[in-house]
Amino acid sequence: MVPADFVFLILATLIVACGFVVVFHSKIIYSAFALLFSFFGVGGIYILLNADFLAGTQLIVYVGGISVLILFGILLTKKIYNLTTEETSTQKIIGGATSLAFLGALAALIFNTDWQIVTTTQEFTPQTLEIGKAFMGNFILPFELAAILLLVALIGAVIIGRDEKKEEI
Amino acid sequence: MSYFGNISKAFSTIATGMKITFRHFKNARKPDGIFTTQYPHKAVPLPKFSRQQLHNRIEDCIGCMKCANACPVSCIYIETVKAPAGTLSDTSNGQKRRLYLTRYDIDMAKCMFCALCTYPCPTECITINSDFNFIKFERKDLLYKFSDYSPEQVEQIKQEAKLREQQEAAEKIAKAKAAAEAKLKAETEAKAKAEVPQVEAKTEEVKAEQKPETKE
Amino acid sequence: MDNILVWTMISILVMVGLVSVVGIISIYLERKVSAFMQDRLGPMEVGFGSLANAIIGKKTFKEGRIGLAQSLADGLKLLQKEDIVPKGADVFLFKLAPMIVFGGTFAAFAALPLAEYFVPADINIGLFYILAISSFGVTGILMAGWASNNKWGLLGALRSTAQMVSYEIPIGVSLISIVMICGTLSLKEMVLAQSGWFWNWHLFGAISHNGAIGIVLLPVMFINFLIYFTCSLAETNRAPFDIPEAESELVAGYHTEYTGMRFAIFFLAEYGAIFVGNAIAVTLFLGGWNSGIPMLDEANIPGIAPLIFITKVFVLIFVVMWVRWTLPRLRVDQLMNLCWKYLIPFTLFTFFYVTIYKVFLT
Ligand code: SF4
Ligand code: SF4
C-alpha cells in the first residue's frame, strides 16, 4: 500500500465515522464537533487530490467559519449543557425507504460512471494561479453574482440586527 | 471627536504610555530602578519596637497571672502548682519563685500583638520581639509552650503536690483534732478556770483556718 | 514508506522541541519584561544550577542568579501536578480540547520559513495554509470552554471565538496587499523577494519588485503592518485584547478549569500562537531571515539565517509584551468598534491603493 492510500483510508474513516456521530449522537454539541472533524477530513482528501487551495478554503470556510457558526448558535442557546435532539422518529417506514432509495441511486451512479482516472505520478502543481485566472476569466459572472449575494446578505444582516429604537446613547 | 482626531489621539496616548513603560524597563538596570527586596537574602529593617512574637524567659516567671489577666483576648494559659519553699531559685531581679509553672502557653494564632501582657509583668520576663518569621504548617504549632517541664514531670509535680496536700490535710485534720481536743479540754478546764485559756484556744483556731487559704 | 515515517517522526519531534523552547523562552521573557516594566525583578532564584541541584539533591552546581530556568522548573512542576477533570465536565471533549488547540499552533509552525533551506513544510500556499490552520485552533478553544462546564470558561470561549473570527477579516485583507505585490502565496518566495538591503523589505514599499517607484507604497505598507500587528494581538488574545482571558472578570477564560499539564499545553499553545503571528509579520514585512545587509547574508555563516529570523520574531514579541504591560484592556464594544470602524476601512483603503498601484504604476 502506498502512503497515499493509507492516508486516504484514515481520512475516509474519519469522515464516515464523524458523519455517523453527526447523525446518531443524541447530544447536539457532539454532532456539531463531529461535523467539524468531518469537514476537516474532507479538507485532507482535497490535499490528497492535489487541490491545495481548495483544501485551505475548506478549512477557512467550513472549519473556521461554518462549524464555528453552528457551535456558536448552539452555545448561545439556553440550557446548553443538556441540549439533546429528539431521537424518536415518527415515520420510520417512509423515512427509511427514502434514504434507502437515495443510497441506491447514489450507488448506481457511482458504479455506472466511467471515472476518469488521472495518473498521480505527475508533478504537484500549485492550483492557486489557475483558480484565480478562472475566477477572473471564464467564470467572472458567477463570481460577481456570488459577491453581490454575499454583500446583500451582509447588509441584510446588519439591518435586521440593528436596534430599531432611535434612542440617543 | 472627529474620526481622524480619534485616531491621532489613540496614537499619541499609546505613545505616551509606551514611553513611560519603556523608561521603567530601561531603568531596571540602575540600582534605584527596582523596588524589590530579595527577601530571604536581604530584608527591610523593621521599625524599632515592632511587635511580632512573644517570648517568656520562663526561669524568671513567677506565675503571678498578671499577663494572663491583662490580655484582651485571653490567649495566655497558665497553670501553677505550689512549690515547697526553697525548691525554686530566685528570679534574676531577686524575687522569690514559689510556684511550679506546669503550663505556660501563648496562643499566637489568637494573639493580636498588642503587647499589653508585657507591661504588668513584675519580673519583666514576658517580652515581645521583632522576629516576624514564624510560619508554621499546622495551626497547633502556633500554640507556643514555654513551660520547661515535660508532661511526665508535670505529672510528677502534680502527684507530689497532691501528696503534700494530703499530708497537709492530714496534718490539718490532726491539728484541728488537736485544737478541738484542746478546745474541749480548755472548755472543760474553763469550767474550772474562767479567763486566760480561752484566748489561747482562739489563736489556735485562726492558725488552722489560715492554712487552706494559701494552698489555693 | 519507512523513510517517510522516520522523517515525519523526526521532524515532528524537532517541531515539538521548537514549540516548547519558544514557549519556555517567551514565558521567561514575559515574566522578566513585565517585572522590569513594573520596577520588579521577576524570577531570580531558579537558575539552571539550582534546578540541577534540586533534582540531584546536592549542592554541586553554582546557583543561578537571574532565574533562567524558572519556566523549565514551572514546567516540571506542572508535569507532576494532579490532573483534575471537573465533575460536571464532558470528559472526552475536555481532554481533546488542549490537543486541538496545540495541534493548530503546531501545524502552523510547520510552514514557517526559518531559512532558505530550512522550511519544515515548504507549502506553495504557505500563507493561506497558516491562516487556515490557525482557524482550527478556534474550535479547540470553543471545545475547552464548553466541555469544562464552567460559566467563565464558556464566556471566555465565546468571546475568544467572536474576537478571533472578526479580526480574521482585517488580517486577511491586509495580507492580501502583500500577496498582490509578490504574486505568490509561498512564504519562502516572499522572503526571497525581500533579500538584499533592508529597504527591500515590504515594510518600506515594493522597491525590490518595481524599483524606486515602489517607495510610494511606504505609507500603506506601514499602515498594513500596524493593522496586521494589532490584529495578531487580538488573534492571540493578548492585551489590550485579552477580553477572553480577562483575569479580573473571567478568572482565566476558557482554560479556567484546566490544571497541570493540560494547562501547560494551553499556555504553550498560546505562546506558540504569538510566535507564529509575529513570525508571519517578520516574514511578510520585515524580510524574514534576511539581515537587511547583503554582506552579512552573503557571508554564509552557518546557522545565521534562522538566528536572524528568530531574533526578529523575538524583537516583535518584546513589543507585544511591552504593549501588554502598558495598555489597559478594551471593552467588548470598543473591540468591535476598533475592528469595524477603524481597522477594516483602513485595510480596504490600503487594499485599494495597492490595487491601483499594481494596475497603473507597474
Ligand atoms: S500581645 Fe496582647 S493579645 Fe498577645 S498575648 Fe499579649 S496581651 Fe494577649
Ligand atoms: S506577668 Fe510575668 S511573671 Fe507574671 S505570670 Fe506573666 S510572665 Fe510570669
Side-chain angles (χ1 to χ4, degrees):
Chain A
M1 210 161 48
V2 285
D5 283 352
F6 192 65
V7 175
F8 175 78
L9 269 185
I10 294 177
L11 286 173
T13 326
L14 178 78
I15 295 170
V16 174
C18 287
F20 270 101
V21 175
V22 172
V23 178
F24 289 113
H25 206 285
S26 62
K27 267 193 181 166
I28 200 161
I29 195 108
Y30 268 82
S31 301
F33 278 121
L35 188 66
L36 189 153
F37 284 107
S38 182
F39 286 148
F40 192 68
V42 173
I45 297 267
Y46 283 146
I47 289 179
L48 269 190
L49 295 174
N50 276 2
D52 52 357
F53 189 77
L54 204 54
T57 317
Q58 169 87 10
L59 266 186
I60 284 194
V61 173
Y62 282 95
V63 176
I66 291 180
S67 291
V68 171
L69 202 66
I70 293 174
L71 281 169
F72 235 79
I74 294 170
L75 292 185
L76 284 178
T77 51
K78 287 181 185 170
K79 273 177 46 183
I80 40 171
Y81 285 110
N82 296 311
L83 202 61
T84 52
T85 43
E86 278 299 326
E87 273 179 276
T88 51
S89 46
T90 44
Q91 287 170 324
K92 284 183 183 146
I93 301 164
I94 301 177
T98 318
S99 11
L100 272 183
F102 191 66
L103 180 68
L106 272 186
L109 209 64
I110 288 168
F111 287 114
N112 291 335
T113 311
D114 181 21
W115 293 103
Q116 302 279 324
I117 300 194
V118 185
T119 48
T120 49
T121 47
Q122 78 188 55
E123 196 57 19
F124 174 73
T125 48
Q127 307 289 303
T128 326
L129 198 64
E130 272 77 53
I131 291 177
K133 274 181 182 156
F135 269 148
M136 286 293 149
N138 287 341
F139 298 97
I140 183 84
L141 190 63
F143 183 71
E144 288 299 326
L145 277 182
I148 289 174
L149 181 72
L150 286 176
L151 185 67
V152 169
L154 204 69
I155 294 174
V158 170
I159 288 179
I160 292 172
R162 200 170 57 174
D163 209 353
E164 282 303 322
K165 283 171 280 172
K166 289 266 192 303
E167 56 185 328
E168 285 295 316
I169 302 163
Chain B
M1 204 184 274
S2 68
Y3 183 79
F4 289 101
N6 268 340
I7 294 174
S8 68
K9 192 179 178 196
F11 272 107
S12 63
T13 45
I14 289 175
T16 316
M18 304 264 287
K19 241 188 275 167
I20 291 173
T21 35
F22 194 73
R23 202 171 58 228
H24 282 266
F25 183 78
K26 233 176 43 202
N27 285 348
R29 275 178 302 133
K30 296 180 188 159
D32 58 345
I34 287 204
F35 289 91
T36 311
T37 315
Q38 287 288 83
Y39 163 57
H41 308 298
K42 267 182 239 159
V44 180
L46 287 170
K48 254 186 190 174
F49 308 124
S50 87
R51 308 192 291 262
Q52 304 294 346
Q53 268 185 105
L54 286 168
H55 181 73
N56 189 355
R57 256 182 294 113
I58 197 72
E59 65 274 8
D60 273 3
C61 179
I62 58 170
C64 66
M65 304 280 281
K66 279 185 178 154
C67 53
N69 291 335
C71 177
V73 294
S74 309
C75 65
I76 304 182
Y77 309 104
I78 303 178
E79 267 177 33
T80 50
V81 172
K82 195 189 170 201
T87 40
L88 288 171
S89 55
D90 286 356
T91 63
S92 51
N93 63 357
Q95 299 213 22
K96 287 262 181 296
R97 288 206 297 164
R98 298 203 180 83
L99 297 164
Y100 290 121
L101 273 162
T102 51
R103 181 175 180 209
Y104 190 100
D105 294 353
I106 299 179
D107 193 348
M108 285 308 284
K110 245 175 155 187
C111 172
M112 56 167 180
F113 314 106
C114 61
L116 287 180
C117 48
T118 59
Y119 300 116
C121 180
T123 61
E124 287 172 7
C125 67
I126 181 163
T127 49
I128 192 152
N129 58 24
S130 318
D131 182 11
F132 54 85
N133 191 354
F134 55 111
I135 305 151
K136 299 287 186 292
F137 286 96
E138 304 265 346
R139 187 147 65 175
K140 65 174 185 339
D141 294 345
L142 280 170
L143 187 70
Y144 286 11
K145 297 191 156 80
F146 289 106
S147 167
D148 13 289
Y149 304 116
S150 66
E152 296 86 49
Q153 279 172 318
V154 169
E155 203 55 34
Q156 202 189 333
I157 287 169
K158 279 186 179 163
Q159 220 100 59
E160 281 172 7
K162 221 184 213 171
L163 275 176
R164 240 178 293 127
E165 210 173 300
Q166 279 168 359
Q167 263 174 20
E168 271 166 30
E171 271 170 31
K172 194 182 86 182
I173 290 166
K175 263 185 190 165
K177 245 185 205 168
E181 270 169 24
K183 212 177 174 183
L184 217 74
K185 227 181 185 177
E187 272 172 15
T188 46
E189 276 171 22
K191 283 171 188 172
K193 293 172 193 174
E195 290 91 19
V196 189
Q198 218 158 4
V199 182
E200 274 179 19
K202 253 181 193 164
T203 48
E204 282 287 330
E205 233 172 34
V206 170
K207 265 183 197 165
E209 271 167 9
Q210 263 173 352
K211 280 215 166 121
E213 261 178 19
T214 46
K215 212 177 284 168
E216 269 164 23
Chain C
M1 184 171 171
D2 280 353
N3 252 341
I4 289 179
L5 268 183
V6 168
W7 275 112
T8 322
M9 278 300 152
I10 288 176
S11 40
I12 285 180
L13 280 182
V14 169
M15 293 305 292
V16 169
L18 188 65
V19 178
S20 318
V21 167
V22 162
I24 284 173
I25 294 177
S26 315
I27 291 171
Y28 175 73
L29 265 186
E30 172 105 273
R31 299 180 69 169
K32 275 295 189 193
V33 169
S34 67
F36 288 161
M37 283 184 180
Q38 298 172 343
D39 295 345
R40 295 183 286 115
L41 281 170
M44 290 297 275
E45 294 294 322
V46 190
F48 284 102
S50 13
L51 185 65
N53 285 348
I55 289 171
I56 58 175
K58 269 181 284 181
K59 284 207 181 242
T60 327
F61 299 98
K62 221 175 131 229
E63 303 264 318
R65 270 282 150 259
I66 52 168
L68 272 179
Q70 181 70 49
S71 16
L72 206 64
D74 282 347
L76 278 178
K77 178 197 76 177
L78 284 173
L79 262 178
Q80 304 167 46
K81 289 250 166 177
E82 185 186 359
D83 177 28
I84 301 170
V85 179
K87 205 173 170 193
D90 189 313
V91 179
F92 177 69
L93 292 183
F94 186 80
K95 291 188 173 167
L96 189 63
M99 298 180 207
I100 289 185
V101 173
F102 190 73
T105 312
F106 182 62
F109 257 78
L112 293 181
L114 294 176
E116 189 171 356
Y117 299 105
F118 186 41
V119 189
D122 182 16
I123 313 172
N124 247 298
I125 52 158
L127 182 60
F128 196 52
Y129 163 81
I130 289 186
L131 288 185
I133 205 77
S134 46
S135 71
F136 193 56
V138 175
T139 56
I141 290 176
L142 264 180
M143 201 184 271
W146 185 82
S148 44
N149 197 353
N150 176 314
K151 284 194 179 64
W152 309 134
L154 189 67
L155 272 176
L158 282 178
R159 286 180 179 189
S160 166
T161 324
Q163 181 176 318
M164 279 161 130
V165 169
S166 36
Y167 274 79
E168 237 154 52
I169 304 164
I171 281 198
V173 182
S174 69
L175 294 188
I176 280 179
S177 308
I178 305 270
V179 176
M180 261 196 306
I181 293 168
C182 296
T184 174
L185 278 170
S186 156
L187 291 172
K188 186 172 154 184
E189 273 163 48
M190 285 182 188
V191 178
L192 284 178
Q194 303 176 60
S195 51
W197 284 100
F198 59 85
W199 53 72
N200 281 342
W201 296 355
H202 285 144
L203 182 64
F204 302 105
I207 295 161
S208 59
H209 297 275
N210 315 112
I213 187 102
I215 198 80
V216 298
L217 282 186
L218 179 86
V220 276
M221 280 314 192
F222 242 93
I223 297 178
N224 262 344
F225 176 70
L226 278 181
I227 290 175
Y228 174 76
F229 189 71
T230 317
C231 294
S232 77
L233 288 180
E235 281 272 293
T236 46
N237 299 333
R238 293 289 297 190
F241 304 101
D242 60 345
I243 302 165
E245 299 170 10
E247 289 95 348
S248 41
E249 309 166 22
L250 294 183
V251 186
Y254 55 88
H255 51 59
T256 303
E257 291 287 354
Y258 283 87
T259 50
M261 207 51 214
R262 286 181 211 286
F263 171 74
I265 285 176
F266 271 120
F267 225 65
L268 276 187
E270 205 178 306
Y271 281 96
I274 295 168
F275 186 87
V276 171
N278 290 308
I280 294 179
V282 166
T283 316
L284 264 59
F285 293 98
L286 298 177
W289 66 77
N290 295 309
S291 60
I293 302 160
M295 283 68 101
L296 200 64
D297 289 330
E298 280 151 22
N300 254 336
I301 306 159
I304 192 148
L307 207 66
I308 288 173
F309 183 81
I310 289 175
T311 316
K312 281 181 185 175
V313 176
F314 270 106
V315 168
L316 276 192
I317 289 183
F318 169 75
V319 178
V320 169
M321 290 168 180
W322 180 13
V323 168
R324 171 173 178 182
W325 295 103
T326 307
L327 300 181
R329 186 182 309 132
L330 266 69
R331 265 195 331 255
V332 179
D333 62 321
Q334 290 168 334
L335 178 87
M336 290 299 154
N337 251 354
L338 179 65
C339 179
W340 290 97
K341 288 192 185 160
Y342 295 94
L343 296 183
I344 290 184
F346 269 93
T347 46
L348 290 178
F349 165 72
T350 55
F351 174 65
F352 199 62
Y353 191 103
V354 175
T355 321
I356 289 175
Y357 162 84
K358 189 84 181 162
V359 174
F360 294 108
L361 290 182
T362 57

